[in-house]
Amino acid sequence: MKFVIIFGPQAVGKMTVGQELARKTGMKLFHNHMTIDLVSNFFSYSSPAGKRLVNLFRKEIFEEAAKSDLTGLIFTFVWALDLPEDRDYVEKISSIFTSQGASIYYVELEADTEERLRRNQTPNRLEHKPTKRDITFSKQDLLDTVKQYRLNSLEGELSGENYVRINNTQVDAENVADMIIDRFKW
């Protein structure tokens, strides 16, 4: 079992890369909006009830996947690297998998803000993420979040044989998936 966390800022291409990686490896993709958009039908993601339910559904899915015979699970996440609680969350979800003998892989994506603003409106993103269809809100949220949090690591902050950082500003998702597969020798 492999647990792959693809992280980076909004609209960097996490889900799209995850889709290609799932297609090429047979792993299952669990992009973060699968739970956010489900819960947002009832509660705002920013509300206490919304956050509790998103975390509950994710935890249950992680626990079942970790015990399963799946080849692997790919999870996408916007990780605010300057928030200790986000680091704790990544360690907590990773431990669900390591406790079952899984290998954990960290894929960090980065792209220029202008490219991310362009990707924020792509048909694939809007099809799979209903809460992003309000482009005005989504664009402003993307710009505000860049100012509020550090969404990419500092040089040397993260490392290890199961970590890779890819600037995909000029690289399409299929080639990024190939880079990940080559890097980890899957």
Side-chain angles (χ1 to χ4, degrees):
M1 162 68 75
K2 296 173 182 67
F3 182 51
V4 182
I5 301 174
I6 302 177
F7 65 97
Q10 301 103 315
V12 75
K14 297 177 296 293
M15 179 190 68
T16 308
V17 168
Q19 289 168 329
E20 285 297 320
L21 195 57
R23 185 179 67 77
K24 290 174 176 277
T25 65
M27 289 189 252
K28 298 294 184 183
L29 174 62
F30 180 20
H31 69 79
N32 60 339
H33 272 266
M34 291 171 135
T35 48
I36 292 169
D37 290 328
L38 168 68
V39 169
S40 70
N41 287 298
F42 308 98
F43 303 100
S44 166
Y45 176 55
S46 61
S47 72
K51 287 183 189 231
R52 187 184 76 74
L53 287 170
V54 165
N55 286 326
L56 176 69
F57 290 138
R58 288 179 182 174
K59 179 179 179 283
E60 292 296 320
I61 291 169
F62 292 148
E63 288 176 351
E64 290 302 320
K67 294 184 290 189
S68 76
D69 62 355
L70 292 174
T71 306
L73 185 71
I74 303 161
F75 178 63
T76 68
F77 183 63
V78 176
W79 181 354
L81 287 126
D82 48 341
L83 294 181
E85 57 266 30
D86 273 18
R87 184 172 299 273
D88 291 345
Y89 179 72
V90 169
E91 289 175 8
K92 183 178 177 181
I93 64 174
S94 296
S95 71
I96 292 170
F97 287 87
T98 57
S99 73
Q100 298 295 321
S103 298
I104 314 299
Y105 298 88
Y106 301 95
V107 177
E108 180 176 2
L109 299 179
E110 64 178 323
D112 297 345
T113 302
E114 288 305 311
E115 177 62 14
R116 291 177 40 234
L117 287 168
R118 186 193 69 74
R119 291 177 185 174
N120 189 53
Q121 301 180 59
T122 62
N124 187 49
R125 179 176 173 83
L126 299 179
E127 176 187 348
H128 294 284
K129 298 180 179 185
T131 56
K132 297 297 182 182
R133 293 176 187 156
D134 179 344
I135 300 297
T136 303
F137 173 81
S138 183
K139 176 182 176 181
Q140 192 58 54
D141 183 53
L142 187 153
L143 294 170
D144 290 345
T145 306
V146 168
K147 295 175 190 170
Q148 191 174 8
Y149 302 107
R150 185 167 52 81
L151 302 176
N152 280 115
S153 65
L154 300 172
E155 189 67 34
E157 180 179 12
L158 301 173
S159 62
E161 74 178 63
N162 287 358
Y163 164 77
V164 65
R165 181 174 179 160
I166 300 170
N167 185 319
N168 65 330
T169 302
Q170 306 277 337
V171 185
D172 68 23
E174 184 175 1
N175 285 318
V176 173
D178 288 339
M179 293 167 71
I180 295 165
I181 291 166
D182 289 345
R183 165 66 175 85
F184 296 130
K185 298 173 180 49
W186 294 338

